[in-house]
Amino acid sequence: MISELLQKSSLFSLLHRIDIDLTNECRLKGCPFCNGPLYQANYERKPRGGPEGLPDEYCLRHSLCCGCDGCRRRCLPSSCLFMGRRVYFSAVIVVVMALRQNRPNGASADELKDMFGISEKTLARWITYFREEFPLSTTWQQLRGRVHSSVNNNGLPGNLLSHFIRHANSTEEGLVACLRFLASDFSLLDSSILME
Ligand SMILES: [Zn+2]
């Protein structure tokens, strides 16, 4: 079952390695404002929903900072581990939403609370976000042309996850591909929020 994936440290290890690659790609481009060199300036996070005992480095939100005097601006690489400032890991948010949206027998709010300790309030916020805000976001406007038209605005992100799982060799590979896809533009969203 897909929820069991979230108990595997190996999944988070893989997502962590992808985040390192994304950070290195971003660093190689240099500062987007002045072309200066970028240095590591990570944020420590306390993400929820992953397995017990994950190494501390999996809980870092990779971030870079320009080394030029007079600039010193932050540059936030894309991330497969984190979705904006949300407390839960991205993988947990996407899987929980998919379980909730799975028709006709989607998991109830109570079942999700038992499985992941997610409060009804948090779940309601995610549902509202994916129903009302995400479909209208520039992120989704840019991404939607890159997936099959059967992935429509109703049922995000569960339908997106199903799409990637159908085209992957395993459920885990599908989940990782889905998170990579979402990360390909969440960076824009992140940087506008975090660089304030
Ligand atoms: Zn700079």
Side-chain angles (χ1 to χ4, degrees), residues 125-156:
R125 262 206 310 272
W126 294 350
I127 291 171
T128 307
Y129 171 70
F130 280 104
R131 190 182 290 158
E132 293 170 18
E133 288 177 46
F134 183 69
L136 301 177
S137 65
T138 43
T139 300
W140 178 240
Q141 301 301 326
Q142 287 167 6
L143 289 176
R144 64 173 307 168
R146 292 163 50 191
V147 286
H148 194 264
S149 57
S150 64
V151 182
N152 57 36
N153 286 0
N154 302 320
L156 289 167

PDB file of all heavy atoms in Angstrom, residues 125-156:
ATOM      1  N   ARG A 125      -7.014  22.297   5.320  1.00  0.00           N
ATOM      2  CA  ARG A 125      -6.200  23.346   4.664  1.00  0.00           C
ATOM      3  C   ARG A 125      -5.603  22.834   3.360  1.00  0.00           C
ATOM      4  O   ARG A 125      -5.592  23.531   2.342  1.00  0.00           O
ATOM      5  CB  ARG A 125      -5.067  23.786   5.597  1.00  0.00           C
ATOM      6  CG  ARG A 125      -5.370  25.057   6.361  1.00  0.00           C
ATOM      7  CD  ARG A 125      -4.094  25.807   6.742  1.00  0.00           C
ATOM      8  NE  ARG A 125      -3.097  24.974   7.372  1.00  0.00           N
ATOM      9  CZ  ARG A 125      -3.017  24.743   8.676  1.00  0.00           C
ATOM     10  NH1 ARG A 125      -3.882  25.290   9.506  1.00  0.00           N
ATOM     11  NH2 ARG A 125      -2.076  23.970   9.183  1.00  0.00           N
ATOM     12  N   TRP A 126      -5.091  21.600   3.396  1.00  0.00           N
ATOM     13  CA  TRP A 126      -4.494  21.027   2.176  1.00  0.00           C
ATOM     14  C   TRP A 126      -5.572  20.858   1.105  1.00  0.00           C
ATOM     15  O   TRP A 126      -5.341  21.127  -0.073  1.00  0.00           O
ATOM     16  CB  TRP A 126      -3.852  19.665   2.460  1.00  0.00           C
ATOM     17  CG  TRP A 126      -2.671  19.705   3.377  1.00  0.00           C
ATOM     18  CD1 TRP A 126      -2.011  20.832   3.805  1.00  0.00           C
ATOM     19  CD2 TRP A 126      -2.017  18.595   3.988  1.00  0.00           C
ATOM     20  NE1 TRP A 126      -0.977  20.471   4.651  1.00  0.00           N
ATOM     21  CE2 TRP A 126      -0.960  19.109   4.779  1.00  0.00           C
ATOM     22  CE3 TRP A 126      -2.203  17.217   3.958  1.00  0.00           C
ATOM     23  CZ2 TRP A 126      -0.103  18.286   5.515  1.00  0.00           C
ATOM     24  CZ3 TRP A 126      -1.351  16.399   4.689  1.00  0.00           C
ATOM     25  CH2 TRP A 126      -0.320  16.937   5.462  1.00  0.00           C
ATOM     26  N   ILE A 127      -6.736  20.383   1.533  1.00  0.00           N
ATOM     27  CA  ILE A 127      -7.822  20.165   0.562  1.00  0.00           C
ATOM     28  C   ILE A 127      -8.196  21.494  -0.100  1.00  0.00           C
ATOM     29  O   ILE A 127      -8.307  21.590  -1.318  1.00  0.00           O
ATOM     30  CB  ILE A 127      -9.042  19.511   1.252  1.00  0.00           C
ATOM     31  CG1 ILE A 127      -8.699  18.064   1.644  1.00  0.00           C
ATOM     32  CG2 ILE A 127     -10.281  19.540   0.336  1.00  0.00           C
ATOM     33  CD1 ILE A 127      -9.732  17.372   2.521  1.00  0.00           C
ATOM     34  N   THR A 128      -8.342  22.529   0.694  1.00  0.00           N
ATOM     35  CA  THR A 128      -8.682  23.851   0.148  1.00  0.00           C
ATOM     36  C   THR A 128      -7.585  24.344  -0.789  1.00  0.00           C
ATOM     37  O   THR A 128      -7.852  24.870  -1.869  1.00  0.00           O
ATOM     38  CB  THR A 128      -8.870  24.878   1.293  1.00  0.00           C
ATOM     39  OG1 THR A 128      -9.815  24.336   2.200  1.00  0.00           O
ATOM     40  CG2 THR A 128      -9.350  26.210   0.782  1.00  0.00           C
ATOM     41  N   TYR A 129      -6.333  24.145  -0.372  1.00  0.00           N
ATOM     42  CA  TYR A 129      -5.217  24.603  -1.200  1.00  0.00           C
ATOM     43  C   TYR A 129      -5.236  23.927  -2.577  1.00  0.00           C
ATOM     44  O   TYR A 129      -5.147  24.602  -3.609  1.00  0.00           O
ATOM     45  CB  TYR A 129      -3.888  24.326  -0.485  1.00  0.00           C
ATOM     46  CG  TYR A 129      -2.683  24.582  -1.364  1.00  0.00           C
ATOM     47  CD1 TYR A 129      -2.340  25.884  -1.715  1.00  0.00           C
ATOM     48  CD2 TYR A 129      -1.918  23.536  -1.861  1.00  0.00           C
ATOM     49  CE1 TYR A 129      -1.269  26.134  -2.546  1.00  0.00           C
ATOM     50  CE2 TYR A 129      -0.842  23.772  -2.699  1.00  0.00           C
ATOM     51  CZ  TYR A 129      -0.520  25.078  -3.037  1.00  0.00           C
ATOM     52  OH  TYR A 129       0.545  25.308  -3.869  1.00  0.00           O
ATOM     53  N   PHE A 130      -5.384  22.601  -2.572  1.00  0.00           N
ATOM     54  CA  PHE A 130      -5.335  21.889  -3.858  1.00  0.00           C
ATOM     55  C   PHE A 130      -6.619  22.059  -4.669  1.00  0.00           C
ATOM     56  O   PHE A 130      -6.608  21.875  -5.877  1.00  0.00           O
ATOM     57  CB  PHE A 130      -5.008  20.404  -3.654  1.00  0.00           C
ATOM     58  CG  PHE A 130      -3.531  20.177  -3.447  1.00  0.00           C
ATOM     59  CD1 PHE A 130      -3.027  19.903  -2.187  1.00  0.00           C
ATOM     60  CD2 PHE A 130      -2.645  20.282  -4.502  1.00  0.00           C
ATOM     61  CE1 PHE A 130      -1.665  19.717  -1.988  1.00  0.00           C
ATOM     62  CE2 PHE A 130      -1.278  20.096  -4.319  1.00  0.00           C
ATOM     63  CZ  PHE A 130      -0.785  19.821  -3.053  1.00  0.00           C
ATOM     64  N   ARG A 131      -7.693  22.411  -4.032  1.00  0.00           N
ATOM     65  CA  ARG A 131      -8.946  22.607  -4.775  1.00  0.00           C
ATOM     66  C   ARG A 131      -9.049  24.031  -5.302  1.00  0.00           C
ATOM     67  O   ARG A 131      -9.469  24.268  -6.426  1.00  0.00           O
ATOM     68  CB  ARG A 131     -10.120  22.292  -3.843  1.00  0.00           C
ATOM     69  CG  ARG A 131     -11.456  22.233  -4.567  1.00  0.00           C
ATOM     70  CD  ARG A 131     -12.589  21.969  -3.600  1.00  0.00           C
ATOM     71  NE  ARG A 131     -12.550  20.614  -3.058  1.00  0.00           N
ATOM     72  CZ  ARG A 131     -13.132  20.247  -1.916  1.00  0.00           C
ATOM     73  NH1 ARG A 131     -13.779  21.125  -1.189  1.00  0.00           N
ATOM     74  NH2 ARG A 131     -13.057  18.998  -1.497  1.00  0.00           N
ATOM     75  N   GLU A 132      -8.632  25.005  -4.480  1.00  0.00           N
ATOM     76  CA  GLU A 132      -8.900  26.401  -4.840  1.00  0.00           C
ATOM     77  C   GLU A 132      -7.678  27.214  -5.270  1.00  0.00           C
ATOM     78  O   GLU A 132      -7.786  28.056  -6.141  1.00  0.00           O
ATOM     79  CB  GLU A 132      -9.589  27.103  -3.660  1.00  0.00           C
ATOM     80  CG  GLU A 132     -10.981  26.541  -3.427  1.00  0.00           C
ATOM     81  CD  GLU A 132     -11.607  27.016  -2.128  1.00  0.00           C
ATOM     82  OE1 GLU A 132     -11.129  28.023  -1.571  1.00  0.00           O
ATOM     83  OE2 GLU A 132     -12.559  26.365  -1.667  1.00  0.00           O
ATOM     84  N   GLU A 133      -6.538  26.962  -4.628  1.00  0.00           N
ATOM     85  CA  GLU A 133      -5.382  27.820  -4.940  1.00  0.00           C
ATOM     86  C   GLU A 133      -4.446  27.208  -5.977  1.00  0.00           C
ATOM     87  O   GLU A 133      -4.067  27.856  -6.948  1.00  0.00           O
ATOM     88  CB  GLU A 133      -4.578  28.100  -3.663  1.00  0.00           C
ATOM     89  CG  GLU A 133      -5.280  29.041  -2.701  1.00  0.00           C
ATOM     90  CD  GLU A 133      -4.462  29.223  -1.441  1.00  0.00           C
ATOM     91  OE1 GLU A 133      -3.237  29.431  -1.548  1.00  0.00           O
ATOM     92  OE2 GLU A 133      -5.052  29.129  -0.345  1.00  0.00           O
ATOM     93  N   PHE A 134      -4.080  25.952  -5.774  1.00  0.00           N
ATOM     94  CA  PHE A 134      -3.083  25.339  -6.657  1.00  0.00           C
ATOM     95  C   PHE A 134      -3.508  25.317  -8.128  1.00  0.00           C
ATOM     96  O   PHE A 134      -2.702  25.669  -9.003  1.00  0.00           O
ATOM     97  CB  PHE A 134      -2.717  23.938  -6.148  1.00  0.00           C
ATOM     98  CG  PHE A 134      -1.652  23.271  -6.970  1.00  0.00           C
ATOM     99  CD1 PHE A 134      -0.344  23.749  -6.962  1.00  0.00           C
ATOM    100  CD2 PHE A 134      -1.948  22.171  -7.762  1.00  0.00           C
ATOM    101  CE1 PHE A 134       0.641  23.150  -7.742  1.00  0.00           C
ATOM    102  CE2 PHE A 134      -0.968  21.570  -8.542  1.00  0.00           C
ATOM    103  CZ  PHE A 134       0.320  22.056  -8.529  1.00  0.00           C
ATOM    104  N   PRO A 135      -4.780  24.950  -8.454  1.00  0.00           N
ATOM    105  CA  PRO A 135      -5.161  24.923  -9.879  1.00  0.00           C
ATOM    106  C   PRO A 135      -5.010  26.282 -10.570  1.00  0.00           C
ATOM    107  O   PRO A 135      -4.793  26.347 -11.775  1.00  0.00           O
ATOM    108  CB  PRO A 135      -6.630  24.488  -9.857  1.00  0.00           C
ATOM    109  CG  PRO A 135      -6.796  23.778  -8.561  1.00  0.00           C
ATOM    110  CD  PRO A 135      -5.875  24.476  -7.597  1.00  0.00           C
ATOM    111  N   LEU A 136      -5.110  27.362  -9.809  1.00  0.00           N
ATOM    112  CA  LEU A 136      -5.008  28.704 -10.396  1.00  0.00           C
ATOM    113  C   LEU A 136      -3.584  29.265 -10.364  1.00  0.00           C
ATOM    114  O   LEU A 136      -3.316  30.320 -10.928  1.00  0.00           O
ATOM    115  CB  LEU A 136      -5.925  29.674  -9.632  1.00  0.00           C
ATOM    116  CG  LEU A 136      -7.419  29.323  -9.598  1.00  0.00           C
ATOM    117  CD1 LEU A 136      -8.165  30.324  -8.742  1.00  0.00           C
ATOM    118  CD2 LEU A 136      -7.988  29.297 -11.016  1.00  0.00           C
ATOM    119  N   SER A 137      -2.693  28.553  -9.681  1.00  0.00           N
ATOM    120  CA  SER A 137      -1.346  29.094  -9.494  1.00  0.00           C
ATOM    121  C   SER A 137      -0.557  29.069 -10.802  1.00  0.00           C
ATOM    122  O   SER A 137      -0.814  28.246 -11.688  1.00  0.00           O
ATOM    123  CB  SER A 137      -0.593  28.266  -8.442  1.00  0.00           C
ATOM    124  OG  SER A 137      -0.398  26.946  -8.920  1.00  0.00           O
ATOM    125  N   THR A 138       0.421  29.958 -10.907  1.00  0.00           N
ATOM    126  CA  THR A 138       1.269  29.953 -12.105  1.00  0.00           C
ATOM    127  C   THR A 138       2.042  28.644 -12.172  1.00  0.00           C
ATOM    128  O   THR A 138       2.328  28.136 -13.256  1.00  0.00           O
ATOM    129  CB  THR A 138       2.267  31.125 -12.106  1.00  0.00           C
ATOM    130  OG1 THR A 138       2.806  31.249 -10.802  1.00  0.00           O
ATOM    131  CG2 THR A 138       1.636  32.420 -12.528  1.00  0.00           C
ATOM    132  N   THR A 139       2.354  28.093 -10.999  1.00  0.00           N
ATOM    133  CA  THR A 139       3.050  26.803 -10.965  1.00  0.00           C
ATOM    134  C   THR A 139       2.287  25.770 -11.780  1.00  0.00           C
ATOM    135  O   THR A 139       2.822  25.160 -12.702  1.00  0.00           O
ATOM    136  CB  THR A 139       3.140  26.298  -9.501  1.00  0.00           C
ATOM    137  OG1 THR A 139       3.856  27.256  -8.747  1.00  0.00           O
ATOM    138  CG2 THR A 139       3.823  24.959  -9.421  1.00  0.00           C
ATOM    139  N   TRP A 140       1.005  25.599 -11.466  1.00  0.00           N
ATOM    140  CA  TRP A 140       0.216  24.589 -12.155  1.00  0.00           C
ATOM    141  C   TRP A 140      -0.037  24.992 -13.606  1.00  0.00           C
ATOM    142  O   TRP A 140      -0.024  24.163 -14.508  1.00  0.00           O
ATOM    143  CB  TRP A 140      -1.084  24.309 -11.401  1.00  0.00           C
ATOM    144  CG  TRP A 140      -1.950  23.302 -12.105  1.00  0.00           C
ATOM    145  CD1 TRP A 140      -3.206  23.479 -12.560  1.00  0.00           C
ATOM    146  CD2 TRP A 140      -1.597  21.950 -12.449  1.00  0.00           C
ATOM    147  NE1 TRP A 140      -3.670  22.342 -13.176  1.00  0.00           N
ATOM    148  CE2 TRP A 140      -2.694  21.385 -13.115  1.00  0.00           C
ATOM    149  CE3 TRP A 140      -0.441  21.168 -12.270  1.00  0.00           C
ATOM    150  CZ2 TRP A 140      -2.692  20.084 -13.601  1.00  0.00           C
ATOM    151  CZ3 TRP A 140      -0.437  19.864 -12.756  1.00  0.00           C
ATOM    152  CH2 TRP A 140      -1.549  19.340 -13.401  1.00  0.00           C
ATOM    153  N   GLN A 141      -0.218  26.277 -13.862  1.00  0.00           N
ATOM    154  CA  GLN A 141      -0.433  26.727 -15.242  1.00  0.00           C
ATOM    155  C   GLN A 141       0.768  26.342 -16.105  1.00  0.00           C
ATOM    156  O   GLN A 141       0.621  25.959 -17.253  1.00  0.00           O
ATOM    157  CB  GLN A 141      -0.652  28.245 -15.308  1.00  0.00           C
ATOM    158  CG  GLN A 141      -1.848  28.758 -14.507  1.00  0.00           C
ATOM    159  CD  GLN A 141      -3.178  28.148 -14.926  1.00  0.00           C
ATOM    160  OE1 GLN A 141      -3.377  27.861 -16.092  1.00  0.00           O
ATOM    161  NE2 GLN A 141      -4.077  27.908 -13.970  1.00  0.00           N
ATOM    162  N   GLN A 142       1.955  26.426 -15.510  1.00  0.00           N
ATOM    163  CA  GLN A 142       3.161  26.087 -16.266  1.00  0.00           C
ATOM    164  C   GLN A 142       3.353  24.579 -16.399  1.00  0.00           C
ATOM    165  O   GLN A 142       3.898  24.099 -17.374  1.00  0.00           O
ATOM    166  CB  GLN A 142       4.402  26.696 -15.600  1.00  0.00           C
ATOM    167  CG  GLN A 142       4.477  28.198 -15.792  1.00  0.00           C
ATOM    168  CD  GLN A 142       5.508  28.849 -14.888  1.00  0.00           C
ATOM    169  OE1 GLN A 142       6.253  28.180 -14.196  1.00  0.00           O
ATOM    170  NE2 GLN A 142       5.523  30.164 -14.869  1.00  0.00           N
ATOM    171  N   LEU A 143       2.905  23.853 -15.379  1.00  0.00           N
ATOM    172  CA  LEU A 143       3.155  22.412 -15.369  1.00  0.00           C
ATOM    173  C   LEU A 143       2.123  21.608 -16.152  1.00  0.00           C
ATOM    174  O   LEU A 143       2.436  20.578 -16.718  1.00  0.00           O
ATOM    175  CB  LEU A 143       3.167  21.886 -13.921  1.00  0.00           C
ATOM    176  CG  LEU A 143       4.347  22.282 -13.043  1.00  0.00           C
ATOM    177  CD1 LEU A 143       4.124  21.746 -11.626  1.00  0.00           C
ATOM    178  CD2 LEU A 143       5.655  21.743 -13.594  1.00  0.00           C
ATOM    179  N   ARG A 144       0.903  22.094 -16.195  1.00  0.00           N
ATOM    180  CA  ARG A 144      -0.181  21.225 -16.681  1.00  0.00           C
ATOM    181  C   ARG A 144      -0.021  20.809 -18.132  1.00  0.00           C
ATOM    182  O   ARG A 144      -0.434  19.718 -18.513  1.00  0.00           O
ATOM    183  CB  ARG A 144      -1.553  21.866 -16.455  1.00  0.00           C
ATOM    184  CG  ARG A 144      -1.779  23.149 -17.217  1.00  0.00           C
ATOM    185  CD  ARG A 144      -3.208  23.578 -17.043  1.00  0.00           C
ATOM    186  NE  ARG A 144      -4.109  22.496 -17.385  1.00  0.00           N
ATOM    187  CZ  ARG A 144      -5.399  22.465 -17.124  1.00  0.00           C
ATOM    188  NH1 ARG A 144      -5.943  23.466 -16.480  1.00  0.00           N
ATOM    189  NH2 ARG A 144      -6.149  21.476 -17.497  1.00  0.00           N
ATOM    190  N   GLY A 145       0.602  21.653 -18.945  1.00  0.00           N
ATOM    191  CA  GLY A 145       0.825  21.296 -20.343  1.00  0.00           C
ATOM    192  C   GLY A 145       1.813  20.162 -20.506  1.00  0.00           C
ATOM    193  O   GLY A 145       1.941  19.599 -21.583  1.00  0.00           O
ATOM    194  N   ARG A 146       2.503  19.819 -19.437  1.00  0.00           N
ATOM    195  CA  ARG A 146       3.531  18.777 -19.536  1.00  0.00           C
ATOM    196  C   ARG A 146       3.018  17.405 -19.116  1.00  0.00           C
ATOM    197  O   ARG A 146       3.768  16.450 -19.080  1.00  0.00           O
ATOM    198  CB  ARG A 146       4.742  19.180 -18.687  1.00  0.00           C
ATOM    199  CG  ARG A 146       5.463  20.390 -19.280  1.00  0.00           C
ATOM    200  CD  ARG A 146       6.387  21.070 -18.296  1.00  0.00           C
ATOM    201  NE  ARG A 146       7.283  20.126 -17.629  1.00  0.00           N
ATOM    202  CZ  ARG A 146       8.027  20.428 -16.587  1.00  0.00           C
ATOM    203  NH1 ARG A 146       7.980  21.633 -16.078  1.00  0.00           N
ATOM    204  NH2 ARG A 146       8.803  19.522 -16.046  1.00  0.00           N
ATOM    205  N   VAL A 147       1.748  17.333 -18.726  1.00  0.00           N
ATOM    206  CA  VAL A 147       1.167  16.016 -18.425  1.00  0.00           C
ATOM    207  C   VAL A 147      -0.088  15.800 -19.277  1.00  0.00           C
ATOM    208  O   VAL A 147      -0.639  16.742 -19.854  1.00  0.00           O
ATOM    209  CB  VAL A 147       0.789  15.845 -16.937  1.00  0.00           C
ATOM    210  CG1 VAL A 147       2.022  15.659 -16.089  1.00  0.00           C
ATOM    211  CG2 VAL A 147      -0.063  16.987 -16.429  1.00  0.00           C
ATOM    212  N   HIS A 148      -0.532  14.558 -19.315  1.00  0.00           N
ATOM    213  CA  HIS A 148      -1.688  14.196 -20.128  1.00  0.00           C
ATOM    214  C   HIS A 148      -2.914  15.005 -19.718  1.00  0.00           C
ATOM    215  O   HIS A 148      -3.086  15.338 -18.548  1.00  0.00           O
ATOM    216  CB  HIS A 148      -1.959  12.700 -19.945  1.00  0.00           C
ATOM    217  CG  HIS A 148      -2.897  12.152 -20.965  1.00  0.00           C
ATOM    218  ND1 HIS A 148      -4.236  12.017 -20.730  1.00  0.00           N
ATOM    219  CD2 HIS A 148      -2.675  11.722 -22.232  1.00  0.00           C
ATOM    220  CE1 HIS A 148      -4.817  11.517 -21.810  1.00  0.00           C
ATOM    221  NE2 HIS A 148      -3.889  11.323 -22.734  1.00  0.00           N
ATOM    222  N   SER A 149      -3.771  15.301 -20.720  1.00  0.00           N
ATOM    223  CA  SER A 149      -4.926  16.155 -20.428  1.00  0.00           C
ATOM    224  C   SER A 149      -5.937  15.488 -19.491  1.00  0.00           C
ATOM    225  O   SER A 149      -6.803  16.160 -18.939  1.00  0.00           O
ATOM    226  CB  SER A 149      -5.606  16.560 -21.734  1.00  0.00           C
ATOM    227  OG  SER A 149      -5.980  15.396 -22.435  1.00  0.00           O
ATOM    228  N   SER A 150      -5.799  14.158 -19.296  1.00  0.00           N
ATOM    229  CA  SER A 150      -6.710  13.498 -18.341  1.00  0.00           C
ATOM    230  C   SER A 150      -6.424  13.957 -16.906  1.00  0.00           C
ATOM    231  O   SER A 150      -7.257  13.785 -16.018  1.00  0.00           O
ATOM    232  CB  SER A 150      -6.576  11.980 -18.443  1.00  0.00           C
ATOM    233  OG  SER A 150      -5.277  11.593 -18.064  1.00  0.00           O
ATOM    234  N   VAL A 151      -5.237  14.515 -16.677  1.00  0.00           N
ATOM    235  CA  VAL A 151      -4.937  15.076 -15.354  1.00  0.00           C
ATOM    236  C   VAL A 151      -5.520  16.487 -15.328  1.00  0.00           C
ATOM    237  O   VAL A 151      -4.904  17.436 -15.778  1.00  0.00           O
ATOM    238  CB  VAL A 151      -3.415  15.117 -15.082  1.00  0.00           C
ATOM    239  CG1 VAL A 151      -3.135  15.667 -13.692  1.00  0.00           C
ATOM    240  CG2 VAL A 151      -2.800  13.744 -15.241  1.00  0.00           C
ATOM    241  N   ASN A 152      -6.750  16.590 -14.864  1.00  0.00           N
ATOM    242  CA  ASN A 152      -7.397  17.906 -14.895  1.00  0.00           C
ATOM    243  C   ASN A 152      -7.337  18.581 -13.522  1.00  0.00           C
ATOM    244  O   ASN A 152      -6.742  18.052 -12.576  1.00  0.00           O
ATOM    245  CB  ASN A 152      -8.830  17.792 -15.422  1.00  0.00           C
ATOM    246  CG  ASN A 152      -9.638  16.815 -14.585  1.00  0.00           C
ATOM    247  OD1 ASN A 152      -9.449  16.737 -13.373  1.00  0.00           O
ATOM    248  ND2 ASN A 152     -10.523  16.070 -15.224  1.00  0.00           N
ATOM    249  N   ASN A 153      -7.963  19.724 -13.447  1.00  0.00           N
ATOM    250  CA  ASN A 153      -7.866  20.510 -12.218  1.00  0.00           C
ATOM    251  C   ASN A 153      -8.637  19.903 -11.046  1.00  0.00           C
ATOM    252  O   ASN A 153      -8.410  20.268  -9.902  1.00  0.00           O
ATOM    253  CB  ASN A 153      -8.406  21.924 -12.453  1.00  0.00           C
ATOM    254  CG  ASN A 153      -7.421  22.747 -13.267  1.00  0.00           C
ATOM    255  OD1 ASN A 153      -6.358  22.246 -13.637  1.00  0.00           O
ATOM    256  ND2 ASN A 153      -7.765  23.997 -13.537  1.00  0.00           N
ATOM    257  N   ASN A 154      -9.560  18.994 -11.358  1.00  0.00           N
ATOM    258  CA  ASN A 154     -10.323  18.369 -10.280  1.00  0.00           C
ATOM    259  C   ASN A 154      -9.595  17.121  -9.828  1.00  0.00           C
ATOM    260  O   ASN A 154      -9.328  16.247 -10.626  1.00  0.00           O
ATOM    261  CB  ASN A 154     -11.721  17.985 -10.764  1.00  0.00           C
ATOM    262  CG  ASN A 154     -12.473  19.179 -11.275  1.00  0.00           C
ATOM    263  OD1 ASN A 154     -12.397  20.260 -10.688  1.00  0.00           O
ATOM    264  ND2 ASN A 154     -13.162  19.016 -12.396  1.00  0.00           N
ATOM    265  N   GLY A 155      -9.297  17.069  -8.550  1.00  0.00           N
ATOM    266  CA  GLY A 155      -8.655  15.862  -8.032  1.00  0.00           C
ATOM    267  C   GLY A 155      -7.148  15.967  -7.932  1.00  0.00           C
ATOM    268  O   GLY A 155      -6.458  14.958  -7.806  1.00  0.00           O
ATOM    269  N   LEU A 156      -6.611  17.162  -7.989  1.00  0.00           N
ATOM    270  CA  LEU A 156      -5.176  17.355  -7.748  1.00  0.00           C
ATOM    271  C   LEU A 156      -4.904  17.239  -6.244  1.00  0.00           C
ATOM    272  O   LEU A 156      -5.729  17.676  -5.460  1.00  0.00           O
ATOM    273  CB  LEU A 156      -4.746  18.753  -8.215  1.00  0.00           C
ATOM    274  CG  LEU A 156      -4.713  18.957  -9.725  1.00  0.00           C
ATOM    275  CD1 LEU A 156      -4.603  20.444 -10.059  1.00  0.00           C
ATOM    276  CD2 LEU A 156      -3.528  18.209 -10.332  1.00  0.00           C
TER     277      LEU A 156
END
